[in-house]
Amino acid sequence: MKKNIFAILASGSLLSITPAFATTQAEDIAALKAYFAERWPNVKDGDMSNGAYSLSEDKRINWESMRDFPPYEDHLAIGEEIWNTSFKNGNTWASCFGDDPSKIRNRFPHWNARDKKVETLEGNIIQCQKANGEEPFKAKKGKIAYFSAWLASQANGQTINVVVPQDDPDAVAAYEAGRQFFYAKRGQLNLSCADCHVYQSGYYARGNLLSPVRGHTTHFPVWRGKWARSGGDGFGTLHRRYGGCNSQVRAKSFKAHGKEYSNLEYFHASMSNGMTINAPDYRE
Amino acid sequence: MKQLLSTVLVALLAVGMISSALADEAAYKKLHAEAVVANDKAKEAGGEWRDARDKKSKFIECGDKKMSILHAAECYAAKGDYKNAMKYAEMAKSQGELGYQQAIQQKNAGPRH
């Protein structure tokens, strides 16, 4: 059974049309929106931030009942406490991020033209700790996720607009590297992110309904039932999810906040431009 | 005379066994080195696979532990089981080669919708 599903997945798109290589960010977003609009005429673009639950009524009912009593409230409170705690050197988080916590999440990911790299929220949290002589958080779960989730919750309702400065060839190259990562088949199962989250979205793989890429990043960090069951709590960052999705196709995952995943996030988050932040959220 | 003959025979046999064990070890070491090179190349191209040699992998059993394919090769070699050591070194090498080829083929991957 497992094999069958992956054979279908590996055989590629059921709806594949002749390749048309979109070049700019705006074209990529427009092409994806058009693709999903044709594929899911009854699903509103904005609802796709609810992931797989936007595609299945049954799944949605379970999920909505889970959200009535969110399991992550206590962890969000820890996130707020982190924001309010000064470093040992007396500095505060505001020294890195400015003093309005509602104006942080939506600035990421962004291009840092001076250092010629993509910056992510969690990457900069760690950078801020290092710059202040603090022991940095672990990269993918625990406090970094609570803190990031609280910051995201402060930005709820804001419209995502990841900017790729088209006049900066290095920024464009980073975006394109992220796009290549998303569309490249990897691992022993020879599947790309797009195979599962574009072409096969709405189908099941190993009992999981596959979500569309549009809306993927609006609600991160997420609290996953599966992560909660695997020891610890359920919170995880976007790069934790990247690692899991690489590993399930038997590809080696990359370092969280390294160049590969940061570039991927630059592209991936761009694909949710125009949607609103709704974080954190529950996933099964 | 008879005794001498059998002593010589035993000695010859022992030398033969030792030299074939040495040959196995040498062949394994060569293959292991090739597997490392193949996976370094895959890594360089950004195409390493999960179970070839990652410390976190729990793919092959050796003794009462699960580990990556290349670690299993090393584990069997340490036990003197060169048959399995060679088998897994070969497998790790081939995963490195395939991961590299895949990464090269996918270099210009992009949307097909």
Side-chain angles (χ1 to χ4, degrees):
Chain A
M1 187 60 198
K2 245 185 218 170
K3 273 204 181 118
N4 281 342
I5 286 164
F6 282 108
I8 295 168
L9 286 171
S11 74
S13 165
L14 300 174
L15 297 178
S16 131
I17 313 166
T18 40
F21 295 107
T23 47
T24 68
Q25 182 199 31
E27 284 166 357
D28 286 343
I29 297 166
L32 258 188
K33 280 175 77 168
Y35 175 85
F36 285 124
E38 193 185 325
R39 186 81 189 277
W40 309 109
N42 300 322
V43 178
K44 287 204 191 75
D45 181 56
D47 197 40
M48 286 189 194
S49 58
N50 297 321
Y53 310 112
S54 66
L55 307 180
S56 154
E57 199 50 42
D58 287 354
K59 289 256 172 198
R60 190 171 188 117
I61 289 166
N62 283 331
W63 170 68
E64 280 175 347
S65 69
M66 276 306 297
R67 290 168 102 211
D68 287 342
F69 301 98
Y72 44 73
E73 297 291 345
D74 294 347
H75 296 84
L76 279 186
I78 301 175
E80 181 170 12
E81 234 174 82
I82 293 172
W83 170 256
N84 289 320
T85 309
S86 307
F87 302 132
K88 283 186 230 75
N89 65 8
N91 281 349
T92 61
W93 289 101
S95 67
C96 297
F97 293 106
D99 46 31
D100 184 347
S102 75
K103 297 218 163 67
I104 299 174
R105 154 67 187 257
N106 211 9
R107 295 205 308 263
F108 293 93
H110 63 230
W111 179 248
N112 175 332
R114 199 197 55 201
D115 298 342
K116 295 191 187 301
K117 63 169 194 175
V118 172
E119 296 192 327
T120 63
L121 174 54
E122 287 93 355
N124 276 29
I125 288 173
I126 288 175
Q127 196 179 302
C128 180
Q129 290 176 307
K130 287 183 178 162
N132 284 286
E134 294 282 310
E135 178 75 19
F137 293 149
K138 281 207 196 118
K140 293 182 290 191
K141 54 184 175 180
K143 287 184 180 160
I144 197 162
Y146 314 156
F147 187 33
S148 166
W150 183 75
L151 288 172
S153 73
Q154 299 306 296
N156 275 340
Q158 295 173 19
T159 303
I160 294 175
N161 183 26
V162 178
V163 176
V164 179
Q166 296 298 314
D167 58 352
D168 184 335
D170 293 317
V172 171
Y175 170 84
E176 279 173 358
R179 186 177 66 170
Q180 186 273 344
F181 194 110
F182 188 82
Y183 285 99
K185 293 176 184 291
R186 351 186 128 255
Q188 199 179 10
L189 301 186
N190 199 36
L191 290 167
S192 69
C193 310
D195 284 330
C196 285
H197 294 297
V198 178
Y199 305 113
Q200 304 301 326
S201 59
Y203 292 97
Y204 280 84
R206 291 183 178 165
N208 298 299
L209 186 62
L210 292 164
S211 54
V213 60
R214 178 107 178 118
H216 251 178
T217 61
T218 59
H219 50 280
F220 266 82
V222 295
W223 178 284
R224 282 186 78 198
K226 184 181 163 187
W227 284 338
R229 287 189 299 276
S230 71
D233 58 77
F235 258 132
T237 63
L238 190 59
H239 290 202
R240 182 179 185 189
R241 185 76 239 198
Y242 289 169
C245 276
N246 273 163
S247 170
Q248 65 177 329
V249 298
R250 298 190 181 170
K252 186 167 156 30
S253 54
F254 291 85
K255 235 178 89 193
H257 320 307
K259 195 172 173 187
E260 292 84 2
Y261 282 173
S262 296
N263 288 346
L264 172 61
E265 182 176 334
Y266 199 31
F267 166 79
H268 191 217
S270 290
M271 293 305 106
S272 296
N273 272 6
M275 302 180 94
T276 47
I277 294 177
N278 59 333
D281 209 343
Y282 175 81
R283 290 292 184 268
E284 56 179 50
Chain B
M1 186 61 196
K2 234 185 190 174
Q3 216 178 0
L4 184 65
L5 205 70
S6 63
T7 312
V8 168
L9 270 176
V10 166
L12 278 175
L13 214 71
V15 168
M17 275 163 66
I18 290 166
S19 67
S20 97
L22 284 175
D24 283 353
E25 189 185 349
Y28 159 73
K29 279 193 169 152
K30 181 165 174 282
L31 202 53
H32 182 279
E34 288 166 4
V36 170
V37 169
N39 280 282
D40 284 349
K41 220 173 134 189
K43 181 180 181 177
E44 183 76 27
E48 261 189 301
W49 287 5
R50 185 189 69 187
D51 299 304
R53 62 171 178 180
D54 192 16
K55 280 195 209 80
K56 285 177 297 187
S57 166
K58 293 185 163 53
F59 199 56
I60 305 283
E61 228 173 86
C62 175
D64 55 0
K65 284 209 186 96
K66 287 185 176 177
M67 58 198 79
S68 81
I69 301 166
L70 196 63
H71 286 97
E74 290 160 8
C75 174
Y76 281 107
K79 295 177 193 293
D81 179 351
Y82 287 107
K83 189 163 167 264
N84 274 311
M86 296 280 282
K87 179 173 110 186
Y88 291 124
E90 183 65 52
M91 198 187 282
K93 178 183 164 188
S94 126
Q95 288 215 348
E97 289 169 350
L98 291 167
Y100 172 76
Q101 280 167 22
Q102 181 186 50
I104 298 305
Q105 274 167 12
Q106 296 294 311
K107 229 178 175 163
N108 297 313
R112 52 173 200 269
H113 48 265

